[in-house]
Amino acid sequence: MSGNALRDLNTLPGSERKNGSSSKGRGGGGGCVGLYIKNASFAIELFQTFVRTVMSGNALRDLNTLPGSERKNGSSSQGNFAKLYCENSDENVEKWERKNSASLVSTTVNGDGTVNPGVEIGNSEVEYIESENLSDVDDIDTCVRTLLAGLDSKDWILVCESLNNVRRLFIFHKEALLDMLEDVIPLIVKSLKNPRSAVCKTAIMTSADLFNAYNDHLIDSLDPLLVQLLLKSSQDKRFVCEAAERALVAMTTWVSPTMLLAKLQPYLKNKNPRIRAKASMCLSRSIPRLGVEGIKSYGFDKLILVAASQLSDQLPESREAARTLLLELQTVYEKSHDPTLTVSEHSELSSWEHFCRSKLAPLSAQAVLRVTNIGREGLVLGS
């Protein structure tokens, strides 16, 4: 055994060193090997605990439950990961996962036909490529022919490469995949559900390019994508959350708001308050894209009910999105009823007030009027 093994062995109590020595004599170093296996198992268990932990406070609490000897005498890899665990730095976690969980294990077949599992073939690191930096595929026909098998592979490196090829085809040859979307989108959703962060984030970036490329053509397949993006944008792993939020922005930018509103509204009543908040933000971005005529056609009464319901939501993101939407509705309502109306200190909002009181319960109408009057006063002061 190396010097490290002897040093670890010397940290054991005398009785354990004695027993370890005897076992070494009987079993060829079993005590040292057992010690190293214990350390490796500890590192794996610590990583699994970290993945299951969703709040930094939980991470610190879980780490503090470890015996003092394990916290103090862990191996160098344990110590480095424990430091990462305590700091709860999302950026470092992403780098650690991409670098240290990328060790590939291959199953090979020997010449006599027997299987030789567990051959390590090296470490790989997935690179997240922005859409504007993607290059065209070398061979379109080969890429399209092997695409579905690559997306459905058990090799996560191959899945990430296939997802990036999908993105290239979306950008440079979107017509080549138009007839395959029914097969491609479920595999993208499958990758969105993948617990490995590299696969999940690459699938999120693929979703953003999908919205950009196909707009309303994918509306019938939007539901499974939407629910996963709302879930991913609501989690605590920041680098995944931010990528999902960018994909949702792409969705509200490129998909028709008329079609999108019907898809978003069920999530405004979701039991998860963070999903409700993300859906509210998507809604507040989509409605202004309808324009004056589109909002009138959709119905002021429907939209004000939706906005008022979010005004008393649990999370501030929902409430802020509702305030933004209400101010937009107020402006459009006034212009549609009196095109000459402008924002000034003499503008009376009697028609808007009457509309709110006629469509909403008294308490809801009062809350809406308070928000829109404060917003109007801020506009007047700032003009």
Side-chain angles (χ1 to χ4, degrees):
M1 304 296 284
S2 66
N4 291 334
L6 295 176
R7 184 174 65 252
D8 289 343
L9 188 60
N10 289 333
T11 62
L12 297 174
S15 59
E16 293 184 15
R17 288 200 303 271
K18 182 177 179 181
N19 293 336
S21 299
S22 61
S23 64
K24 178 178 179 181
R26 291 190 301 269
C32 292
V33 172
L35 178 63
Y36 270 82
I37 292 175
K38 177 182 177 181
N39 285 341
S41 301
F42 170 84
I44 294 172
E45 291 172 2
L46 186 57
F47 174 74
Q48 292 172 339
T49 302
F50 172 77
V51 172
R52 292 193 297 266
T53 302
V54 298
M55 297 297 289
S56 59
N58 293 338
L60 294 173
R61 184 174 67 251
D62 292 344
L63 190 61
N64 288 332
T65 61
L66 295 175
S69 58
E70 291 184 341
R71 292 200 303 270
K72 182 176 180 181
N73 297 322
S75 65
S76 59
S77 61
Q78 290 170 310
N80 291 337
F81 188 79
K83 180 180 179 182
L84 173 63
Y85 193 95
C86 293
E87 291 174 351
N88 195 34
S89 167
D90 288 310
E91 181 178 358
N92 290 337
V93 170
E94 180 184 16
K95 292 179 180 178
W96 194 93
E97 282 190 346
R98 288 166 57 193
K99 182 176 180 181
N100 295 297
S101 65
S103 180
L104 302 181
V105 177
S106 171
T107 301
T108 59
V109 180
N110 298 325
D112 56 1
T114 60
V115 177
N116 181 29
V119 179
E120 186 174 341
I121 60 175
N123 292 329
S124 299
E125 185 172 344
V126 172
E127 181 182 3
Y128 302 129
I129 309 173
E130 297 299 329
S131 300
E132 58 270 19
N133 297 327
L134 284 169
S135 58
D136 197 355
V137 295
D138 295 330
D139 187 337
I140 299 175
D141 294 334
T142 301
C143 184
V144 171
R145 187 172 62 252
T146 59
L147 196 61
L148 296 180
L151 290 173
D152 202 28
S153 172
K154 294 182 179 181
D155 181 346
W156 70 273
I157 295 290
L158 179 58
V159 172
C160 288
E161 292 175 353
S162 299
L163 286 169
N164 280 327
N165 283 336
V166 170
R167 297 173 65 201
R168 292 182 174 95
L169 292 171
F170 285 167
I171 294 171
F172 297 102
H173 309 282
K174 64 180 183 180
E175 68 284 348
L177 288 185
L178 188 58
D179 295 332
M180 295 177 59
L181 286 181
E182 291 184 358
D183 298 319
V184 170
I185 290 177
L187 294 175
I188 296 175
V189 173
K190 179 182 177 181
S191 294
L192 287 171
K193 298 177 182 179
N194 195 299
R196 191 179 291 275
S197 298
V199 177
C200 179
K201 183 172 178 178
T202 307
I204 292 171
M205 299 172 77
T206 305
S207 301
D209 292 327
L210 173 68
F211 297 135
N212 191 350
Y214 295 103
N215 313 128
D216 296 344
H217 291 290
L218 53 84
I219 196 67
D220 293 334
S221 306
L222 183 61
D223 287 319
L225 282 170
L226 177 57
V227 66
Q228 287 303 315
L229 291 175
L230 289 172
L231 286 169
K232 299 305 177 184
S233 67
S234 305
Q235 66 170 240
D236 293 312
K237 191 170 286 187
R238 181 170 56 85
F239 59 94
V240 174
C241 177
E242 290 175 348
E245 287 179 346
R246 288 192 293 271
L248 289 173
V249 170
M251 179 189 69
T252 55
T253 301
W254 297 107
V255 178
S256 169
T258 306
M259 297 182 176
L260 193 56
L261 292 182
K263 301 289 186 180
L264 287 171
Q265 287 192 43
Y267 298 103
L268 298 175
K269 300 178 181 180
N270 194 279
K271 294 181 180 180
N272 187 331
R274 301 181 72 176
I275 289 180
R276 292 199 305 270
K278 299 301 181 182
S280 284
M281 295 169 67
C282 290
L283 194 75
S284 68
R285 288 193 299 265
S286 295
I287 289 177
R289 295 184 57 229
L290 288 170
V292 175
E293 294 303 319
I295 291 176
K296 288 173 61 178
S297 176
Y298 193 87
F300 281 104
D301 51 348
K302 296 179 183 178
L303 295 175
I304 196 171
L305 287 171
V306 170
S309 67
Q310 297 302 301
L311 198 57
S312 58
D313 197 78
Q314 178 180 348
L315 291 184
E317 292 91 339
S318 292
R319 299 194 296 271
E320 182 60 33
R323 283 192 287 268
T324 302
L325 177 55
L326 285 168
L327 289 171
E328 178 70 22
L329 290 177
Q330 179 191 22
T331 301
V332 174
Y333 181 86
E334 292 169 356
K335 288 182 178 180
S336 65
H337 285 73
D338 185 358
T340 64
L341 183 66
T342 58
V343 177
S344 72
E345 59 185 355
H346 302 294
S347 298
E348 296 295 336
L349 309 180
S350 57
S351 60
W352 170 251
E353 180 176 347
H354 175 73
F355 172 72
C356 292
R357 295 191 185 280
S358 66
K359 299 297 181 182
L360 301 171
L363 289 178
S364 294
Q366 185 178 356
V368 168
L369 291 171
R370 185 186 306 116
V371 167
T372 52
N373 287 340
I374 291 174
R376 174 54 57 88
E377 290 171 2
L379 290 175
V380 170
L381 292 174
S383 60

